[in-house]
Amino acid sequence: MRHHRRLFRKIVLFFFSIPVLLFIFSPILWLFLASFSTQVELFTIPPHWIPHHPTLQNYLDIFFPNLAASTVPRTFAISLLNSIKIASVVTIICIFFGSLAAYALVRIPFKFNRSIQLGILATRMIPEVSLILPLFIIASSLQLINKPIVLIITYMSFALPYAIWMMAAFFQTVPVELEEAARLDGCSRLGILFRVVMPISVPGLVSTAMFVFLLAWDEFFYALIFTSTLASKTAPVAIAEFVGRYSVNITGMMAAGVLAALPPMILAFIFQRYIVSGMTAGAVKG
Amino acid sequence: MCRSTLLFIIMSVITNIFSKKRRTLRQQDARIALWLVAPSLVVILGVTLWPIFSSFILSFFHAPAGINQARTFVGLGNYIEMLNDQGFWETIGRTLYFTVASVVLNLTLGLLVAQLIQSHPWGWKFIRFSLIIPWAVPTIVNGAMWRWIYSGDFGALNGVLMQFGLIRHYIPWLTLPNLAMPLVILADTWHTMPLIALILQAALAALPEELDEAAAVDGANAWQRFVKIRLPLLRPAILVALIIRTVEAFRVFDIVYIITSGGPASKTITITFLTYLYSFPYGKQGTGAALSIMISIVTMIFAIAYIRILYRPEENQ
Amino acid sequence: MRTMNKILVGVITLILVFSLVGCGPKNTGPVTIHILTQDQAGMKPAEIDQIARDFEAANPDIKVVMEYVGYDYIHDKIVTGMAANPPAYDASMIDVIWPDEFIKNGYLLDVTDRVTPEMKSGIFPASWNGVTRNGKVYGMPWLMDTKYFMYNQEMLTAAGFNAPPKTWEELLTQAAAIKAKKLAEFPIVWSWNQKEGVVCDFTVLLYGNGGTFLDASGKPAFNNEKGVEVLTWMKQTIDDGLTNPTSISADEMAVETDFLAGKSAFAVNWLFQYADSNKADMSQIVGKAALAAMPVFAAGSAAGIKGSSVDGSSSFAIMATTPYPDQVWKFLTYLTSNEVQIKFSAEMLPIWQADFQGSALTTLIAANPTNPITVPAFLAQFPYANERPTVPYYNEASAALQLAIQEALTNLKTPQQALDEAAAKWVELAK
């Protein structure tokens, strides 16, 4: 009887997964197929769901830039690398310093705890659009324009507040008993953080890391204003260039979009295994 | 600037190291806490403090863009001008509409998807992995893609509906004033729901199973277990998700700009878009600054409200 | 305490890194000038880069760094760039609608004294309009463009017409016939979305009806009966099913897409659409597109209006606060010089009148397969390119007009009501 109930449950759940998967995949499938299409075929009615004359030209233009007709695909590969560099550095530093701060704010009662929490959250309230002019003036006087470091630092200031809040929430769910037990065993504060709290919160940390990475990955306006030379521009800025004043290389843009979505996906795939739901249960029992 | 910063840091570090009085555990704890928080604070405040401050000051001035342009102090003039402007209130209304719809959709869908994944149906790992895809697509591409899907002449939405016989003629979706915003909300939700789902799923994954099992033994069904046991424990994660989504939704800009450019008839212009318009194309930086301060105040109120309602420190199990 | 020290070291290093980042030695050597220009306008970036390299070879003490951005972002980059001192850009391409705003902002350098008489007389007078205000010149003309009337020859003939329409009223007759014969469901498509494009189209139609944006005293005149007629006509064409309703959310790119896919018979657009119509990987109507003089309204024609279009040119301006005006001017004159322009006349039409005369004209026409069509079309249409209002608050004024037109087209307000509100806004802005 129990077996049947479990089977029934599995089937019902699978049934619910289908709309979810449809919701996730249908737009992206369109994107993917469009990237293998020629411009002229994209604009046919009724739509060719699968291109009748698929072409790799859009991707070839990006991978073999010297053969491309327009320079825009040429610059794209470099911009992808820039984005990877910047997003990775931002993520690593944010997770490291952010987890330190998050732990302190959640577990250590001290005088300024609340005000710091609210304060760093408050810095995120103001729209980035208003901060850009003063920041540009500062960056320009420090001669940091068109250098990746300016984006790294700026993105860190954007991402840290969220990262701290997110990691704080995950640290909170770690049972206090565990930490007290470790304390009794003679662990220092930092030891507790690195040896007890963080390992248990790995799912949360990975989620936070993905959030930070994608925040840096996706950011457009600051990247546009601060970096526009070939050597320094990021992927979103390069993609925006597929939209010229007079013509949109829409199939090229779709191909670039697919490629721009790949690095985060690859990272997510690699780090999937670190999100293991059974870890907590083991820790509490043990 | 460089040298004086260095000097200051070195001095304060030295004084700290050499003032080793006996401290209570609590005081030691407090100092450790400050050091742990310090690097993040330095970055956050170092970058944003001056710009936020200068924006705040600017909001009290009439500040036309340009070199050697006179800045006249107008006190609350910019604020009053905006509060008296009908366009401003219409924009606030639209933005609130977007925010409420987005938060409700995101959190509901996110929670459902999170629970779905957590229940480990067949292929749950694949579902969780797929969630990253809408999120990973850059906003620009996402906007262009949805603009394409909604295209009145060639779009996939029309194509699908026509193929299933649901419509007879192609519909020019993005030209309908009352439909444009919901369409943008849909496009935005597709992109942002994964983050909420993943946050909630990670939190669900960290919940201890025994409580749930005990409740099941006590006779509680799945729904009761979900609402009475899991949801309360998820409070911190839900709080985070709510704050992030509300703040981001209230400040939405990029996707609107790309899909509709604010049209039709300004029906999709949101408050941050308006701030951008005043600060850049219209060259009225004082007004733009005033708008941003107002946005910050509203989002801060949201955040504090959430915290008041949901925040319970150190919840013991 | 050991972990504490580790943190201390970490924090100090971090702060050190940040504060030292700006303490580098300053650059010495040849002068470097930064020029901002539009991606995909006129010549390809690779070609402009080549021109820059050629210039550097002839002028070893000047280094030219070109930056390419999409059109939508140039204005913002200029504004932010000028906030810094020295400015991020020494020169930039500017659209024809920006000089008034930029001059008021103090961004543009007065180059009246640098313009030689040969330049003055040699370059199209109409191009100087875009950069001259109150007798002072603020930039070098670069890319001349106007909107053209394009039609699908095959559809026209199939509907039984052997000549394109001369008036907008005639256009509707032809469109109705094309629609009745089921050659196109919506024969006409426009760029009427809430961006500058709708104002461009409105300019074409308004002046073609004998209307103007401002009257002689500078007050808004577009809400008089001529303007209201135009807006009502625009709306009527949608209601009658002749203009594609997607025009309300279409920009110039969407117009091209429709036209090139064979979905419309008539499309008003910038010159690029014609060249693209003959590219097999983009167009399903290769060889079928044709250019004609922009129609006018019957009332306008009766009032003596012979032609009407809108000026969409761009020019290069020197930023007022640049430390290197002379070097920039040298480069700009090289960039716009006759020799350079002739070399690339396949990509864009030269600004020098002499290239359109005599044997030079023959060479020009031979330079590019589409030139035999586009050059005469340009010579015929450009003289009638109307300017949009040359006011410093243009962006905000245009936004008000865009909103008004959209409200009328989506039935939220009547054309008179919408235009009156926009006119009131213009009066307010002019204060």
Side-chain angles (χ1 to χ4, degrees), chain C residues 63-89:
Chain C
K63 198 161 132 39
V64 178
V65 174
M66 301 290 307
E67 263 187 41
Y68 304 95
V69 224
Y71 168 76
D72 276 343
Y73 310 113
I74 298 188
H75 185 275
D76 295 344
K77 291 211 78 156
I78 294 177
V79 170
T80 37
M82 293 305 285
N85 204 356
Y89 305 105

PDB file of all heavy atoms in Angstrom, chain C residues 63-89:
ATOM      1  N   LYS C  63      48.084  60.249 -30.914  1.00  0.00           N
ATOM      2  CA  LYS C  63      47.542  58.897 -30.901  1.00  0.00           C
ATOM      3  C   LYS C  63      46.012  59.013 -30.812  1.00  0.00           C
ATOM      4  O   LYS C  63      45.495  59.777 -30.015  1.00  0.00           O
ATOM      5  CB  LYS C  63      48.078  58.133 -29.677  1.00  0.00           C
ATOM      6  CG  LYS C  63      47.927  56.636 -29.797  1.00  0.00           C
ATOM      7  CD  LYS C  63      48.871  55.926 -28.823  1.00  0.00           C
ATOM      8  CE  LYS C  63      48.172  54.833 -28.028  1.00  0.00           C
ATOM      9  NZ  LYS C  63      47.206  54.031 -28.734  1.00  0.00           N
ATOM     10  N   VAL C  64      45.313  58.267 -31.659  1.00  0.00           N
ATOM     11  CA  VAL C  64      43.858  58.367 -31.710  1.00  0.00           C
ATOM     12  C   VAL C  64      43.234  57.097 -31.153  1.00  0.00           C
ATOM     13  O   VAL C  64      43.501  56.002 -31.636  1.00  0.00           O
ATOM     14  CB  VAL C  64      43.369  58.571 -33.161  1.00  0.00           C
ATOM     15  CG1 VAL C  64      41.850  58.613 -33.205  1.00  0.00           C
ATOM     16  CG2 VAL C  64      43.960  59.839 -33.746  1.00  0.00           C
ATOM     17  N   VAL C  65      42.403  57.252 -30.136  1.00  0.00           N
ATOM     18  CA  VAL C  65      41.675  56.094 -29.598  1.00  0.00           C
ATOM     19  C   VAL C  65      40.188  56.285 -29.903  1.00  0.00           C
ATOM     20  O   VAL C  65      39.570  57.212 -29.406  1.00  0.00           O
ATOM     21  CB  VAL C  65      41.887  55.983 -28.071  1.00  0.00           C
ATOM     22  CG1 VAL C  65      41.023  54.869 -27.506  1.00  0.00           C
ATOM     23  CG2 VAL C  65      43.347  55.747 -27.760  1.00  0.00           C
ATOM     24  N   MET C  66      39.647  55.407 -30.744  1.00  0.00           N
ATOM     25  CA  MET C  66      38.233  55.513 -31.097  1.00  0.00           C
ATOM     26  C   MET C  66      37.432  54.601 -30.187  1.00  0.00           C
ATOM     27  O   MET C  66      37.862  53.496 -29.864  1.00  0.00           O
ATOM     28  CB  MET C  66      37.995  55.087 -32.542  1.00  0.00           C
ATOM     29  CG  MET C  66      38.748  55.855 -33.591  1.00  0.00           C
ATOM     30  SD  MET C  66      38.193  57.548 -33.809  1.00  0.00           S
ATOM     31  CE  MET C  66      36.466  57.340 -34.076  1.00  0.00           C
ATOM     32  N   GLU C  67      36.285  55.063 -29.779  1.00  0.00           N
ATOM     33  CA  GLU C  67      35.394  54.193 -29.018  1.00  0.00           C
ATOM     34  C   GLU C  67      34.072  54.117 -29.747  1.00  0.00           C
ATOM     35  O   GLU C  67      33.535  55.135 -30.176  1.00  0.00           O
ATOM     36  CB  GLU C  67      35.169  54.759 -27.615  1.00  0.00           C
ATOM     37  CG  GLU C  67      36.083  54.132 -26.592  1.00  0.00           C
ATOM     38  CD  GLU C  67      35.723  54.571 -25.186  1.00  0.00           C
ATOM     39  OE1 GLU C  67      34.514  54.641 -24.870  1.00  0.00           O
ATOM     40  OE2 GLU C  67      36.658  54.853 -24.421  1.00  0.00           O
ATOM     41  N   TYR C  68      33.528  52.924 -29.850  1.00  0.00           N
ATOM     42  CA  TYR C  68      32.290  52.726 -30.590  1.00  0.00           C
ATOM     43  C   TYR C  68      31.188  52.279 -29.641  1.00  0.00           C
ATOM     44  O   TYR C  68      31.347  51.339 -28.879  1.00  0.00           O
ATOM     45  CB  TYR C  68      32.495  51.668 -31.675  1.00  0.00           C
ATOM     46  CG  TYR C  68      33.632  52.006 -32.605  1.00  0.00           C
ATOM     47  CD1 TYR C  68      34.907  51.499 -32.396  1.00  0.00           C
ATOM     48  CD2 TYR C  68      33.431  52.863 -33.685  1.00  0.00           C
ATOM     49  CE1 TYR C  68      35.950  51.829 -33.235  1.00  0.00           C
ATOM     50  CE2 TYR C  68      34.470  53.193 -34.533  1.00  0.00           C
ATOM     51  CZ  TYR C  68      35.725  52.677 -34.300  1.00  0.00           C
ATOM     52  OH  TYR C  68      36.762  53.006 -35.126  1.00  0.00           O
ATOM     53  N   VAL C  69      30.065  52.973 -29.701  1.00  0.00           N
ATOM     54  CA  VAL C  69      28.920  52.595 -28.867  1.00  0.00           C
ATOM     55  C   VAL C  69      27.671  52.636 -29.716  1.00  0.00           C
ATOM     56  O   VAL C  69      27.634  53.332 -30.720  1.00  0.00           O
ATOM     57  CB  VAL C  69      28.657  53.605 -27.719  1.00  0.00           C
ATOM     58  CG1 VAL C  69      28.391  52.871 -26.446  1.00  0.00           C
ATOM     59  CG2 VAL C  69      29.731  54.611 -27.617  1.00  0.00           C
ATOM     60  N   GLY C  70      26.650  51.961 -29.250  1.00  0.00           N
ATOM     61  CA  GLY C  70      25.366  52.025 -29.929  1.00  0.00           C
ATOM     62  C   GLY C  70      24.765  53.415 -29.836  1.00  0.00           C
ATOM     63  O   GLY C  70      25.022  54.145 -28.883  1.00  0.00           O
ATOM     64  N   TYR C  71      23.927  53.765 -30.787  1.00  0.00           N
ATOM     65  CA  TYR C  71      23.349  55.108 -30.839  1.00  0.00           C
ATOM     66  C   TYR C  71      22.626  55.481 -29.558  1.00  0.00           C
ATOM     67  O   TYR C  71      22.776  56.607 -29.048  1.00  0.00           O
ATOM     68  CB  TYR C  71      22.361  55.207 -32.007  1.00  0.00           C
ATOM     69  CG  TYR C  71      21.525  56.465 -31.942  1.00  0.00           C
ATOM     70  CD1 TYR C  71      22.079  57.690 -32.298  1.00  0.00           C
ATOM     71  CD2 TYR C  71      20.211  56.442 -31.499  1.00  0.00           C
ATOM     72  CE1 TYR C  71      21.339  58.849 -32.221  1.00  0.00           C
ATOM     73  CE2 TYR C  71      19.468  57.599 -31.416  1.00  0.00           C
ATOM     74  CZ  TYR C  71      20.034  58.803 -31.771  1.00  0.00           C
ATOM     75  OH  TYR C  71      19.300  59.957 -31.689  1.00  0.00           O
ATOM     76  N   ASP C  72      21.868  54.545 -29.005  1.00  0.00           N
ATOM     77  CA  ASP C  72      21.057  54.847 -27.819  1.00  0.00           C
ATOM     78  C   ASP C  72      21.890  55.346 -26.651  1.00  0.00           C
ATOM     79  O   ASP C  72      21.355  55.932 -25.720  1.00  0.00           O
ATOM     80  CB  ASP C  72      20.306  53.587 -27.368  1.00  0.00           C
ATOM     81  CG  ASP C  72      19.000  53.398 -28.139  1.00  0.00           C
ATOM     82  OD1 ASP C  72      18.545  54.366 -28.757  1.00  0.00           O
ATOM     83  OD2 ASP C  72      18.456  52.283 -28.111  1.00  0.00           O
ATOM     84  N   TYR C  73      23.186  55.042 -26.659  1.00  0.00           N
ATOM     85  CA  TYR C  73      23.991  55.320 -25.466  1.00  0.00           C
ATOM     86  C   TYR C  73      24.958  56.478 -25.632  1.00  0.00           C
ATOM     87  O   TYR C  73      25.599  56.893 -24.669  1.00  0.00           O
ATOM     88  CB  TYR C  73      24.758  54.058 -25.068  1.00  0.00           C
ATOM     89  CG  TYR C  73      23.852  52.851 -24.990  1.00  0.00           C
ATOM     90  CD1 TYR C  73      23.973  51.804 -25.894  1.00  0.00           C
ATOM     91  CD2 TYR C  73      22.841  52.782 -24.044  1.00  0.00           C
ATOM     92  CE1 TYR C  73      23.109  50.718 -25.854  1.00  0.00           C
ATOM     93  CE2 TYR C  73      21.979  51.709 -23.991  1.00  0.00           C
ATOM     94  CZ  TYR C  73      22.117  50.684 -24.893  1.00  0.00           C
ATOM     95  OH  TYR C  73      21.257  49.616 -24.845  1.00  0.00           O
ATOM     96  N   ILE C  74      25.062  57.016 -26.828  1.00  0.00           N
ATOM     97  CA  ILE C  74      26.062  58.065 -27.038  1.00  0.00           C
ATOM     98  C   ILE C  74      25.765  59.276 -26.158  1.00  0.00           C
ATOM     99  O   ILE C  74      26.662  59.822 -25.517  1.00  0.00           O
ATOM    100  CB  ILE C  74      26.111  58.515 -28.507  1.00  0.00           C
ATOM    101  CG1 ILE C  74      26.506  57.346 -29.392  1.00  0.00           C
ATOM    102  CG2 ILE C  74      27.093  59.650 -28.670  1.00  0.00           C
ATOM    103  CD1 ILE C  74      26.762  57.743 -30.802  1.00  0.00           C
ATOM    104  N   HIS C  75      24.497  59.672 -26.132  1.00  0.00           N
ATOM    105  CA  HIS C  75      24.153  60.874 -25.362  1.00  0.00           C
ATOM    106  C   HIS C  75      24.577  60.728 -23.910  1.00  0.00           C
ATOM    107  O   HIS C  75      25.195  61.629 -23.326  1.00  0.00           O
ATOM    108  CB  HIS C  75      22.647  61.107 -25.470  1.00  0.00           C
ATOM    109  CG  HIS C  75      22.185  62.372 -24.820  1.00  0.00           C
ATOM    110  ND1 HIS C  75      21.899  62.441 -23.478  1.00  0.00           N
ATOM    111  CD2 HIS C  75      21.987  63.608 -25.311  1.00  0.00           C
ATOM    112  CE1 HIS C  75      21.529  63.669 -23.188  1.00  0.00           C
ATOM    113  NE2 HIS C  75      21.576  64.401 -24.270  1.00  0.00           N
ATOM    114  N   ASP C  76      24.268  59.577 -23.308  1.00  0.00           N
ATOM    115  CA  ASP C  76      24.616  59.371 -21.901  1.00  0.00           C
ATOM    116  C   ASP C  76      26.119  59.354 -21.700  1.00  0.00           C
ATOM    117  O   ASP C  76      26.629  59.874 -20.706  1.00  0.00           O
ATOM    118  CB  ASP C  76      24.035  58.046 -21.402  1.00  0.00           C
ATOM    119  CG  ASP C  76      22.518  58.071 -21.400  1.00  0.00           C
ATOM    120  OD1 ASP C  76      21.953  59.171 -21.492  1.00  0.00           O
ATOM    121  OD2 ASP C  76      21.924  56.985 -21.311  1.00  0.00           O
ATOM    122  N   LYS C  77      26.831  58.754 -22.643  1.00  0.00           N
ATOM    123  CA  LYS C  77      28.283  58.691 -22.483  1.00  0.00           C
ATOM    124  C   LYS C  77      28.893  60.076 -22.586  1.00  0.00           C
ATOM    125  O   LYS C  77      29.868  60.396 -21.908  1.00  0.00           O
ATOM    126  CB  LYS C  77      28.900  57.755 -23.512  1.00  0.00           C
ATOM    127  CG  LYS C  77      28.542  56.300 -23.246  1.00  0.00           C
ATOM    128  CD  LYS C  77      29.627  55.355 -23.682  1.00  0.00           C
ATOM    129  CE  LYS C  77      30.746  55.351 -22.675  1.00  0.00           C
ATOM    130  NZ  LYS C  77      31.557  54.160 -22.674  1.00  0.00           N
ATOM    131  N   ILE C  78      28.327  60.925 -23.429  1.00  0.00           N
ATOM    132  CA  ILE C  78      28.839  62.283 -23.530  1.00  0.00           C
ATOM    133  C   ILE C  78      28.596  63.016 -22.217  1.00  0.00           C
ATOM    134  O   ILE C  78      29.489  63.668 -21.676  1.00  0.00           O
ATOM    135  CB  ILE C  78      28.163  63.054 -24.695  1.00  0.00           C
ATOM    136  CG1 ILE C  78      28.550  62.426 -26.038  1.00  0.00           C
ATOM    137  CG2 ILE C  78      28.555  64.514 -24.659  1.00  0.00           C
ATOM    138  CD1 ILE C  78      27.886  63.074 -27.214  1.00  0.00           C
ATOM    139  N   VAL C  79      27.376  62.909 -21.701  1.00  0.00           N
ATOM    140  CA  VAL C  79      27.051  63.621 -20.463  1.00  0.00           C
ATOM    141  C   VAL C  79      27.958  63.173 -19.312  1.00  0.00           C
ATOM    142  O   VAL C  79      28.510  63.994 -18.582  1.00  0.00           O
ATOM    143  CB  VAL C  79      25.567  63.408 -20.101  1.00  0.00           C
ATOM    144  CG1 VAL C  79      25.280  63.924 -18.707  1.00  0.00           C
ATOM    145  CG2 VAL C  79      24.672  64.115 -21.097  1.00  0.00           C
ATOM    146  N   THR C  80      28.123  61.855 -19.154  1.00  0.00           N
ATOM    147  CA  THR C  80      29.001  61.419 -18.066  1.00  0.00           C
ATOM    148  C   THR C  80      30.447  61.779 -18.372  1.00  0.00           C
ATOM    149  O   THR C  80      31.185  62.218 -17.486  1.00  0.00           O
ATOM    150  CB  THR C  80      28.942  59.898 -17.828  1.00  0.00           C
ATOM    151  OG1 THR C  80      28.822  59.245 -19.072  1.00  0.00           O
ATOM    152  CG2 THR C  80      27.813  59.516 -16.919  1.00  0.00           C
ATOM    153  N   GLY C  81      30.829  61.602 -19.636  1.00  0.00           N
ATOM    154  CA  GLY C  81      32.214  61.907 -19.989  1.00  0.00           C
ATOM    155  C   GLY C  81      32.575  63.337 -19.682  1.00  0.00           C
ATOM    156  O   GLY C  81      33.688  63.640 -19.234  1.00  0.00           O
ATOM    157  N   MET C  82      31.633  64.257 -19.898  1.00  0.00           N
ATOM    158  CA  MET C  82      31.930  65.664 -19.670  1.00  0.00           C
ATOM    159  C   MET C  82      31.906  66.037 -18.199  1.00  0.00           C
ATOM    160  O   MET C  82      32.322  67.132 -17.840  1.00  0.00           O
ATOM    161  CB  MET C  82      30.910  66.543 -20.432  1.00  0.00           C
ATOM    162  CG  MET C  82      31.034  66.457 -21.935  1.00  0.00           C
ATOM    163  SD  MET C  82      32.700  66.832 -22.500  1.00  0.00           S
ATOM    164  CE  MET C  82      32.715  68.601 -22.315  1.00  0.00           C
ATOM    165  N   ALA C  83      31.426  65.145 -17.350  1.00  0.00           N
ATOM    166  CA  ALA C  83      31.429  65.460 -15.915  1.00  0.00           C
ATOM    167  C   ALA C  83      32.833  65.389 -15.360  1.00  0.00           C
ATOM    168  O   ALA C  83      33.136  65.955 -14.315  1.00  0.00           O
ATOM    169  CB  ALA C  83      30.513  64.491 -15.168  1.00  0.00           C
ATOM    170  N   ALA C  84      33.692  64.665 -16.054  1.00  0.00           N
ATOM    171  CA  ALA C  84      35.057  64.512 -15.566  1.00  0.00           C
ATOM    172  C   ALA C  84      35.935  65.605 -16.133  1.00  0.00           C
ATOM    173  O   ALA C  84      35.631  66.189 -17.169  1.00  0.00           O
ATOM    174  CB  ALA C  84      35.597  63.151 -15.971  1.00  0.00           C
ATOM    175  N   ASN C  85      37.031  65.867 -15.464  1.00  0.00           N
ATOM    176  CA  ASN C  85      37.984  66.857 -15.941  1.00  0.00           C
ATOM    177  C   ASN C  85      39.383  66.300 -15.847  1.00  0.00           C
ATOM    178  O   ASN C  85      39.859  66.059 -14.745  1.00  0.00           O
ATOM    179  CB  ASN C  85      37.867  68.136 -15.105  1.00  0.00           C
ATOM    180  CG  ASN C  85      38.376  69.332 -15.880  1.00  0.00           C
ATOM    181  OD1 ASN C  85      38.876  69.204 -17.000  1.00  0.00           O
ATOM    182  ND2 ASN C  85      38.254  70.494 -15.294  1.00  0.00           N
ATOM    183  N   PRO C  86      40.125  66.068 -16.917  1.00  0.00           N
ATOM    184  CA  PRO C  86      39.730  66.339 -18.292  1.00  0.00           C
ATOM    185  C   PRO C  86      38.611  65.410 -18.771  1.00  0.00           C
ATOM    186  O   PRO C  86      38.415  64.362 -18.198  1.00  0.00           O
ATOM    187  CB  PRO C  86      41.020  66.065 -19.083  1.00  0.00           C
ATOM    188  CG  PRO C  86      41.766  65.091 -18.268  1.00  0.00           C
ATOM    189  CD  PRO C  86      41.451  65.410 -16.845  1.00  0.00           C
ATOM    190  N   PRO C  87      37.879  65.811 -19.786  1.00  0.00           N
ATOM    191  CA  PRO C  87      36.732  65.009 -20.193  1.00  0.00           C
ATOM    192  C   PRO C  87      37.176  63.641 -20.716  1.00  0.00           C
ATOM    193  O   PRO C  87      38.289  63.481 -21.193  1.00  0.00           O
ATOM    194  CB  PRO C  87      36.099  65.834 -21.314  1.00  0.00           C
ATOM    195  CG  PRO C  87      37.195  66.679 -21.838  1.00  0.00           C
ATOM    196  CD  PRO C  87      38.098  66.962 -20.687  1.00  0.00           C
ATOM    197  N   ALA C  88      36.275  62.673 -20.590  1.00  0.00           N
ATOM    198  CA  ALA C  88      36.611  61.320 -21.023  1.00  0.00           C
ATOM    199  C   ALA C  88      36.812  61.279 -22.535  1.00  0.00           C
ATOM    200  O   ALA C  88      37.563  60.442 -23.041  1.00  0.00           O
ATOM    201  CB  ALA C  88      35.513  60.358 -20.601  1.00  0.00           C
ATOM    202  N   TYR C  89      36.133  62.156 -23.261  1.00  0.00           N
ATOM    203  CA  TYR C  89      36.258  62.187 -24.711  1.00  0.00           C
ATOM    204  C   TYR C  89      36.658  63.582 -25.157  1.00  0.00           C
ATOM    205  O   TYR C  89      36.135  64.563 -24.647  1.00  0.00           O
ATOM    206  CB  TYR C  89      34.947  61.772 -25.383  1.00  0.00           C
ATOM    207  CG  TYR C  89      34.492  60.424 -24.890  1.00  0.00           C
ATOM    208  CD1 TYR C  89      33.444  60.315 -23.991  1.00  0.00           C
ATOM    209  CD2 TYR C  89      35.163  59.274 -25.292  1.00  0.00           C
ATOM    210  CE1 TYR C  89      33.061  59.085 -23.514  1.00  0.00           C
ATOM    211  CE2 TYR C  89      34.792  58.046 -24.809  1.00  0.00           C
ATOM    212  CZ  TYR C  89      33.737  57.948 -23.920  1.00  0.00           C
ATOM    213  OH  TYR C  89      33.373  56.730 -23.434  1.00  0.00           O
TER     214      TYR C  89
END
